[in-house]
Amino acid sequence: MFGFLKRKRSEAADTSEKIDTVIADKPQQSIAAAADVDVNLSQSLEKTKRTFTDGMADFLLGKKRLDNSILEQLETRLLSADVGVDATTTIIDELQNNISRKTITDIDALHLKLAEIMKTILQPCEQPLSTVIDEFKADQEDSRPFVILVVGINGAGKTTSIGKLANHFKQQGKSVMLAAGDTFRAAAVEQLQQWGQRNQVPVIAQGTGADPASVIFDAVQSASSKKIDIIIADTAGRLHTQDNLMDELAKIKRVLGKIDATAPHETLIVMDASFGQNALHQVQQFHDSIGLTGLAVTKLDGTAKGGILFSIANTLKLPVRFIGVGEGINDLRPFDAAEFVDALLD
């Protein structure tokens, strides 16, 4: 974090006549624009990093000793990055204790201890979904697909994230099928079909206004017959306050239970990091209503509120499966706590 002191910032056969297994002809422009490039994590977190570092160089240059003013300045910056009050208090109190015991005596030691504390907070959330899937598929005689139900509010990047997830799992050698459960918006079905084309995976879809539970149920049956490894099911974007739509999610889970009592095996919410504490509240409401098992935190590259991951770890205590750090198809990556902190404090 304080290194700036040295360089002051510069794609299933049809299972019924009503199902379409679709691979679209042309990707939408927005999908085509998702270049197959990797983005440097540190660069992707630049906006959040600035929240920590801007102005700190002048503040710390020439400091010969650590004092409360330094911790107060750091506390302000942690809060500004949406680390949250509880997580910030944990960090500052631990730093203060170490300073009092004189186990931290200079800025470099403060930097190292800060990184250590931040990693300790985030590491319980580092639970890769691939590991969960591998454990589920360990019995080679089990032809059940691993069902991922993707939920979230409109605008969080849900459908795009599904396309990137399909790419991620295909790169791992797993077979994937998509289910177009967002039947509320015709555009959502089309977008998912185009992601299917791009990733060369089948997409099960019905017409606009179809029963989402029926679409996903048929997709799982098709995937089972084809021995597909993973089903990723899209759902309509909704707010936690929309009881009828939240009831729809509960119905989907009940219907899936008729095929496999353990499905869905992952209920993954896509959360837009730029919404900060508001998004955190929304995730908590979704969790209380339907029970979440993991998060994909998107748009970390476009916000100064990347510290929200610490609030997630401290408040929700849910696994962060993936983080989104760019527009590229490879930029939804498994969450690695140490890598994230190192990039944030670089």
Side-chain angles (χ1 to χ4, degrees):
M1 171 180 177
F2 298 108
F4 61 80
L5 290 174
K6 301 176 182 177
R7 62 175 192 285
K8 188 175 177 182
R9 277 211 38 191
S10 308
E11 187 194 320
D14 292 347
T15 58
S16 74
E17 294 181 356
K18 61 182 178 180
I19 305 173
D20 294 324
T21 301
V22 186
I23 294 182
D25 295 329
K26 297 180 181 179
Q28 289 179 335
Q29 183 176 359
S30 61
I31 295 176
D36 298 319
V37 296
D38 290 314
V39 172
N40 178 277
L41 183 57
S42 180
Q43 293 175 343
S44 297
L45 298 176
E46 189 63 33
K47 290 187 177 181
T48 298
K49 288 167 63 177
R50 289 176 185 172
T51 302
F52 285 121
T53 60
D54 278 4
M56 290 285 281
D58 288 334
F59 178 76
L60 291 170
L61 280 173
K63 286 284 185 180
K64 296 182 179 180
R65 65 187 181 87
L66 298 174
D67 54 31
N68 288 335
S69 63
I70 291 177
L71 293 184
E72 289 172 0
Q73 180 81 350
L74 177 58
E75 179 179 43
T76 297
R77 295 187 175 277
L78 290 170
L79 291 171
S80 296
D82 245 356
V83 170
V85 174
D86 292 342
T88 295
T89 299
T90 297
I91 293 169
I92 297 300
D93 285 353
E94 184 67 17
L95 289 174
Q96 181 66 74
N97 289 338
N98 278 266
I99 292 173
S100 298
R101 298 196 307 266
K102 300 192 183 302
T103 54
I104 294 178
T105 58
D106 56 34
I107 294 297
D108 288 338
L110 181 68
H111 177 203
L112 291 173
K113 190 63 181 180
L114 176 63
E116 177 187 322
I117 296 168
M118 294 175 101
K119 290 173 184 179
T120 298
I121 292 173
L122 291 181
Q123 279 169 344
C125 293
E126 186 186 315
Q127 300 177 42
L129 186 54
S130 291
T131 300
V132 178
I133 295 174
D134 288 342
E135 291 173 352
F136 175 84
K137 301 297 291 185
D139 183 356
Q140 296 303 312
E141 295 181 358
D142 191 345
S143 63
R144 293 179 302 162
F146 186 93
V147 182
I148 303 173
L149 185 65
V150 182
V151 304
I153 69 168
N154 286 321
K158 182 165 46 63
T159 306
T160 297
S161 294
I162 291 173
K164 294 180 180 182
L165 285 173
N167 172 71
H168 171 75
F169 292 126
K170 280 203 67 179
Q171 288 182 341
Q172 293 183 338
K174 296 179 172 67
S175 55
V176 180
M177 179 182 285
L178 307 182
D182 183 356
T183 60
F184 184 73
R185 295 186 305 119
V189 176
E190 293 171 2
Q191 185 182 8
L192 199 68
Q193 290 169 345
Q194 288 153 1
W195 273 112
Q197 185 275 336
R198 178 168 187 180
N199 289 304
Q200 288 298 292
V201 301
V203 179
I204 302 301
Q206 297 180 16
T208 303
D211 180 11
S214 175
V215 176
I216 297 171
F217 180 90
D218 289 336
V220 174
Q221 285 191 317
S222 177
S224 295
S225 68
K226 295 295 183 181
K227 299 188 184 301
I228 296 291
D229 294 321
I230 301 170
I231 278 277
I232 309 176
D234 196 8
T235 61
R238 68 206 68 213
L239 293 171
H240 59 277
T241 55
Q242 296 172 301
D243 292 343
N244 59 324
L245 293 178
M246 295 302 289
D247 289 345
E248 183 181 87
L249 289 178
K251 176 184 176 181
I252 291 171
K253 300 186 80 168
R254 289 196 307 271
V255 170
L256 286 174
K258 295 179 180 179
I259 303 179
D260 179 351
T262 64
H265 308 102
E266 174 82 0
T267 302
L268 182 75
I269 189 166
V270 176
M271 168 185 166
D272 184 338
S274 65
F275 290 0
Q277 296 296 317
N278 288 332
L280 195 67
H281 177 66
Q282 292 165 355
V283 171
Q284 183 66 65
Q285 296 301 313
F286 269 85
H287 188 39
D288 291 344
S289 296
I290 61 171
L292 302 171
T293 55
L295 296 92
V297 183
T298 63
K299 306 181 185 179
L300 281 166
D301 58 310
T303 180
K305 299 178 180 293
I308 193 65
L309 287 182
F310 296 93
S311 282
I312 290 170
N314 198 71
T315 305
L316 299 177
K317 305 186 187 302
L318 285 169
V320 177
R321 305 299 197 186
F322 298 91
I323 57 173
V325 294
E327 297 296 327
I329 196 170
N330 296 313
D331 294 331
L332 186 71
R333 61 183 69 186
F335 175 60
D336 182 311
E339 179 189 40
F340 179 82
V341 173
D342 288 341
L344 187 63
L345 302 184
D346 179 21

